[in-house]
Amino acid sequence: MSEPTDLSPSDAAKLAASRAAIALVEDGMKLGLGTGSTAVIMVRELAARARAEGLSLRCAATSQATADLASSLGLRVEPLDQIGWLDLTIDGADEVDPDLNLIKGGGGAHLREKIVARASDRMVVIADPGKVVETLGAFHLPVEVIQFGWQITERLIREMLEAQGLGQRPILLRKRDGQPFLTDEGNLILDLSLEAIPDPARLARGFADIPGVVEHGLFLGICDLAIIGKPDGSVVELTRDDLSDEVDPLFAEEDEA
């Protein structure tokens, strides 16, 4: 593979993580492909390796955008139900905490991303060091809701947040080009600015009790491995078993930045 030039430090880190993740791919695998800027880099690298090595892969995409990209690069993309259970899903994340809990959905695909991740033997997250956080919540939390009665759903979310002691936080209807953003499923997204989420599991249970909420961007206990790339091309691999040894240095690097 030719080395890209003029990469930003963040993109160089994403490239390093992507290459480490696709090294896990074996011929004949059934793969889940994530969505977002990091996933774009990963899909391009995966397609290049598949061409170079003649790999036979079956891929399920988490968004139409990813499906279009992967297909254009020669990867075989099929509906998830047609492929069945997946060997491996590789995806990015907006935040990764010390327990490998995630916030996802910055690209608006977290519903399909969660379905695909749950339908996999293993979910691997790729990210740059800026995505590693001590506590989830600085990045907005996307909540996908159906269009019918969405303002009532928003009100119920506000009441739930107050009941959990999270106070009155801004909730914005996601828009694109001045119009409400619609997911691939035709739903709306409410972005919650929570600052910090002290008990993600409790918050997830709260969303489950609200009619109209289709899915939220909290991925709890789903990620098996996080590969954190660095601008110099090196990576740190984090699992739930060894995080205490590896996450603190990452935090220290971010504090010094």
Side-chain angles (χ1 to χ4, degrees), residues 34-154:
T35 294
S37 61
T38 307
V40 165
I41 295 173
M42 178 273 295
V43 170
R44 292 187 183 280
E45 291 295 307
L46 176 65
R49 183 183 166 208
R51 286 194 303 270
E53 300 180 20
L55 300 181
S56 176
L57 306 172
R58 301 175 68 189
C59 303
T62 55
S63 66
Q64 191 59 51
T66 295
D68 291 344
L69 174 63
S71 295
S72 73
L73 296 171
L75 291 171
R76 180 180 176 185
V77 179
E78 303 174 56
L80 177 62
D81 286 332
Q82 184 172 310
I83 298 176
W85 200 260
L86 304 173
D87 298 298
L88 173 67
T89 288
I90 304 174
D91 204 348
D94 299 302
E95 288 186 343
V96 182
D97 82 359
D99 295 315
L100 291 195
N101 293 319
L102 318 170
I103 284 183
K104 290 180 50 58
H110 52 285
L111 172 57
R112 291 192 184 186
E113 288 172 332
K114 192 173 288 188
I115 292 172
V116 169
R118 284 291 196 186
S120 305
D121 284 338
R122 193 181 190 196
M123 182 197 188
V124 174
V125 162
I126 50 178
D128 61 84
K131 303 296 172 52
V132 181
V133 299
E134 295 188 52
T135 303
L136 297 179
F139 190 88
H140 59 258
L141 177 64
V143 181
E144 186 164 341
V145 302
I146 66 170
Q147 295 189 50
F148 176 81
W150 73 266
Q151 291 176 311
I152 299 299
T153 303
E154 179 186 4

Side-chain angles (χ1 to χ4, degrees), residues 239-252:
T239 69
R240 282 190 293 272
D241 294 331
D242 60 14
L243 272 172
S244 59
D245 296 329
E246 297 288 359
V247 170
D248 286 345
L250 282 171
F251 288 143

